[in-house]
Amino acid sequence: MNIELLKNIEKTVTITSSERLLITTLFKEKTYKKGEYFLKEGNICKYVGFITKGMVRYFVNVDGEEKNYGFGQENEYVSNYESFIPQNISKRNIQFLEDAELLLISHKDLERFYAEVLNGERFGRIIVGQLFIQGLQDLDSFYSDSPEIRYKKFVNDHPDLLQRIPQYHIASYIGVKPQSLSRIRKRNL
Amino acid sequence: MNIELLKNIEKTVTITSSERLLITTLFKEKTYKKGEYFLKEGNICKYVGFITKGMVRYFVNVDGEEKNYGFGQENEYVSNYESFIPQNISKRNIQFLEDAELLLISHKDLERFYAEVLNGERFGRIIVGQLFIQGLQDLDSFYSDSPEIRYKKFVNDHPDLLQRIPQYHIASYIGVKPQSLSRIRKRNL
């Protein structure tokens, strides 16, 4: 039984002990190696994952260039909901930046979660609402914010990830070449 | 009792006759004049509306210029969820393009809807999921698509609105000056 996942759910709704057991059977453990993909564009996103160890980057291919638009880490959910919810083909990629351990729930088992956990629908409604707002803000920032502002937001949102993510991935996230990143870093020490 | 609203909800979930009555009391009728605002930037979005008559445009101010990023019409919900869900200040504007009639539900009454309608949470979870995907696609298109592609999508998504919306609002939506719109229209007759 993964305590972190249950704790995470219980931050939003209360669940009974039999529901805790059910949830434990619905989420399956899976390990990934650094460099493997959670999701490749052209495929359908089949799972929502809960990261218990490791880190991912979210990226899109724009004119042959990989552009990072987000990162995920421990105690966060990982998915491309735009593909997962309607089970459509994904235009986005999710790749592991470290060896990782996840708890995965399939589309079908998430329907069971909604049907059999009393507060399951409420949990889904609140989480999807949070993801919705986060997703819009991320996309707005991706297209509109200057590299300087994106760097400051990154440091603010993920202070612990600065040391874990290769510089060129941070550069791609804020939208500059790696050599420009070091200048921005110096200005924002 | 507004039949269209109930029909809309019943497309997603089943509701009982006593829930139908409750829903009718939770949504309040309000009329607006053409040019009035549903929401102005700097304010908090207090309601979700269901449009029974009329039309709105969604826009942001970019460097002093109003840029339309969406339209809403009859039998659609209208809100800025990014502001409504957390009750934060809105960066976006929603304005009526015609005299309009809406059914409004407040944040507090929506909580009652979720608490007292058996399938209320399920309805919320599914609708927020749909809005989530729509919102991401709209924002992606707003920033990435060419005017030509945006024109084609607009005609495809809202064939009936071409005659109802002033040309300069369509031009703003697809991201060109009004004189360029007529060239695009001629190429896409």
Side-chain angles (χ1 to χ4, degrees), chain B residues 88-153:
Chain B
N88 283 344
I89 280 172
S90 175
K91 294 174 296 183
R92 304 167 192 277
N93 299 275
I94 308 174
Q95 187 185 27
F96 293 95
L97 292 177
E98 298 174 348
D99 290 353
E101 293 171 15
L102 273 77
L103 293 163
L104 301 184
I105 188 164
S106 68
H107 200 265
K108 204 178 109 211
D109 283 341
L110 189 56
E111 287 301 324
R112 265 194 76 191
F113 175 92
Y114 288 138
E116 298 182 28
V117 174
L118 183 65
N119 287 321
E121 294 281 6
R122 180 172 175 80
F123 177 73
R125 197 250 311 160
I126 292 169
I127 291 291
V128 173
Q130 289 171 0
L131 292 169
F132 178 40
I133 292 164
Q134 189 63 49
L136 289 180
Q137 287 173 349
D138 287 351
L139 203 56
D140 244 340
S141 168
F142 179 74
Y143 285 117
S144 308
D145 285 343
S146 67
E148 195 96 13
I149 286 176
R150 275 179 75 70
Y151 182 77
K152 284 178 184 164
K153 279 189 183 172

Side-chain angles (χ1 to χ4, degrees), chain A residues 2-66:
Chain A
N2 189 285
I3 295 297
E4 294 308 320
L5 171 63
L6 296 172
K7 268 206 265 183
N8 180 280
I9 294 171
E10 287 176 314
K11 275 198 275 184
T12 305
V13 293
T14 55
I15 44 178
T16 66
S17 53
S18 66
E19 288 172 344
R20 291 165 70 96
L21 279 174
L22 170 69
I23 291 166
T24 303
T25 65
L26 294 180
F27 282 83
K28 321 281 186 206
E29 283 180 33
K30 187 164 181 191
T31 61
Y32 295 87
K33 290 280 174 208
K34 177 179 172 175
E36 277 190 88
Y37 281 77
F38 180 82
L39 174 67
K40 265 198 173 170
E41 61 183 296
N43 295 333
I44 292 169
C45 184
K46 291 191 160 39
Y47 301 98
V48 172
F50 180 80
I51 306 177
T52 55
K53 186 173 167 290
M55 222 170 47
V56 296
R57 69 176 177 120
Y58 295 81
F59 72 93
V60 281
N61 279 299
V62 183
D63 304 327
E65 199 185 336
E66 294 182 0

Side-chain angles (χ1 to χ4, degrees), chain B residues 10-180:
Chain B
E10 287 176 314
K11 274 197 275 184
T12 306
V13 293
T14 55
I15 44 177
T16 66
S17 52
S18 64
E19 287 171 346
R20 291 167 68 97
L21 278 175
L22 171 68
I23 291 166
T24 304
T25 65
L26 294 179
F27 283 82
K28 322 279 186 207
E29 283 180 33
K30 188 166 179 190
T31 60
Y32 295 88
K33 289 281 172 206
K34 176 178 174 176
E36 275 190 90
Y37 281 76
F38 180 81
L39 174 67
K40 263 197 174 170
E41 62 183 297
N43 294 333
I44 293 170
C45 185
K46 291 192 160 43
Y47 301 98
V48 172
F50 180 81
I51 306 177
T52 55
K53 183 171 169 290
M55 220 172 49
V56 295
R57 68 177 178 120
Y58 295 81
F59 72 93
V60 281
N61 278 299
V62 183
D63 304 326
E65 199 185 335
E66 294 181 0
K67 293 201 174 183
N68 295 329
Y69 65 92
F71 300 99
Q73 65 184 118
E74 287 85 358
N75 296 321
E76 292 180 356
Y77 295 95
V78 55
S79 194
N80 174 5
Y81 298 92
E82 217 179 322
S83 166
F84 179 80
I85 293 175
Q87 290 287 285
N88 283 344
I89 280 172
S90 175
K91 294 174 296 183
R92 304 167 192 277
N93 299 275
I94 308 174
Q95 187 185 27
F96 293 95
L97 292 177
E98 298 174 348
D99 290 353
E101 293 171 15
L102 273 77
L103 293 163
L104 301 184
I105 188 164
S106 68
H107 200 265
K108 204 178 109 211
D109 283 341
L110 189 56
E111 287 301 324
R112 265 194 76 191
F113 175 92
Y114 288 138
E116 298 182 28
V117 174
L118 183 65
N119 287 321
E121 294 281 6
R122 180 172 175 80
F123 177 73
R125 197 250 311 160
I126 292 169
I127 291 291
V128 173
Q130 289 171 0
L131 292 169
F132 178 40
I133 292 164
Q134 189 63 49
L136 289 180
Q137 287 173 349
D138 287 351
L139 203 56
D140 244 340
S141 168
F142 179 74
Y143 285 117
S144 308
D145 285 343
S146 67
E148 195 96 13
I149 286 176
R150 275 179 75 70
Y151 182 77
K152 284 178 184 164
K153 279 189 183 172
F154 175 83
V155 173
N156 190 55
D157 294 349
H158 307 284
D160 50 325
L161 290 191
L162 260 189
Q163 304 310 321
R164 283 171 73 182
I165 299 177
Q167 294 300 301
Y168 65 96
H169 277 318
I170 299 176
S172 162
Y173 176 79
I174 70 171
V176 296
K177 300 276 167 220
Q179 52 271 35
S180 307

Side-chain angles (χ1 to χ4, degrees), chain A residues 59-108:
Chain A
F59 72 93
V60 281
N61 279 299
V62 183
D63 304 327
E65 199 185 336
E66 294 182 0
K67 295 202 172 182
N68 295 329
Y69 66 92
F71 300 99
Q73 66 183 115
E74 287 85 358
N75 297 321
E76 291 180 358
Y77 295 95
V78 53
S79 195
N80 174 6
Y81 298 91
E82 216 179 321
S83 166
F84 178 81
I85 293 174
Q87 291 286 286
N88 283 343
I89 280 172
S90 175
K91 294 173 297 182
R92 304 166 192 279
N93 300 274
I94 308 175
Q95 187 185 28
F96 293 96
L97 292 177
E98 298 174 349
D99 291 352
E101 293 171 14
L102 273 77
L103 295 163
L104 302 183
I105 188 164
S106 67
H107 200 266
K108 203 177 111 211

